[in-house]
Amino acid sequence: MSGGYTTTKGDIQIFLKELKEILENPKSKLNIIPRQDKAIEFSTDYCLRDLGFTDKDIKEELKKLKISEYVECCRDERNIKSRNYYIFCKEYNKRQVYIKIKIQSYDNKIILCMSFHYAEYKITKFPFR
C-alpha cells in the first residue's frame, strides 16, 4: 500500500453514506475485479470461495463497512482522472480481508470493487480506531 494517504473522518462518513445509498438502489451495479489466477491464496476468487461468499454477499458486506475499518485512500494509477480508492480491512474467521473500492459512477450507480481478498501482509494502520 504505497502512495496512500489518510483522508478526514468526515470524508469517510460521506463516502460510506453514498456507497450505501448506491448499493441499496435496485438499479445499482457492483463491478468486482478478480485477479486472474484463481489458485492464488490472496485472490478475490479464492477468498470468496473460502468464505462461501457470492457477489450479493460482497454487496451486503460493503454496506456494513465502518469508519473504524478504514485504512487509507489511494489514487487510481490506471485512470488518474477518476476518483480515488478507499481501502478498508475487515476480519473474517480471524483473517484480515483487504477491500479496495470506489464509486465509479454516481449517475449510473456503479461501485467498483478492485480488491476483496485476504491481506497479504498484516494491516495495522487504522487511523480512526
Side-chain angles (χ1 to χ4, degrees):
M1 290 183 294
S2 62
Y5 66 92
T6 302
T7 192
T8 66
K9 199 172 189 177
D11 284 346
I12 302 161
Q13 288 172 321
I14 291 168
F15 174 79
L16 290 174
K17 180 181 179 287
E18 292 172 341
L19 175 74
K20 186 176 181 180
E21 286 173 1
I22 290 171
L23 290 172
E24 286 179 344
N25 186 306
K27 294 181 181 179
S28 71
K29 183 172 181 182
L30 175 62
N31 290 333
I32 301 167
I33 310 300
R35 288 189 180 171
Q36 298 302 313
D37 186 349
K38 295 181 183 194
I40 296 174
E41 181 183 358
F42 303 109
S43 70
T44 298
D45 288 339
Y46 177 89
C47 184
L48 296 184
R49 280 195 317 272
D50 191 53
L51 294 173
F53 281 8
T54 63
D55 291 1
K56 185 178 178 185
D57 294 323
I58 290 181
K59 196 174 194 177
E60 292 306 311
E61 290 302 308
L62 294 180
K63 286 189 218 176
K64 296 180 205 171
L65 287 172
K66 301 179 214 158
I67 291 174
S68 61
E69 296 165 326
Y70 169 79
V71 176
E72 66 182 4
C73 292
C74 68
R75 293 180 57 190
D76 183 342
E77 296 298 327
R78 294 180 185 156
N79 186 357
I80 8 184
K81 293 182 181 180
S82 73
R83 293 178 179 83
N84 292 340
Y85 286 105
Y86 282 73
I87 299 169
F88 294 85
C89 178
K90 290 181 72 79
E91 196 168 294
Y92 301 94
N93 303 328
K94 299 184 180 182
R95 289 192 72 183
Q96 290 183 324
V97 173
Y98 176 85
I99 302 166
K100 183 176 179 181
I101 55 175
K102 71 176 175 177
I103 297 171
Q104 189 170 15
S105 171
Y106 286 89
D107 295 339
N108 297 318
K109 299 180 183 3
I110 301 172
I111 303 299
L112 177 64
C113 181
M114 183 56 72
S115 299
F116 193 102
H117 57 76
Y118 290 124
E120 293 182 54
Y121 307 98
K122 183 161 179 61
I123 298 171
T124 58
K125 176 188 161 192
F126 294 93
F128 300 108
R129 275 202 177 160

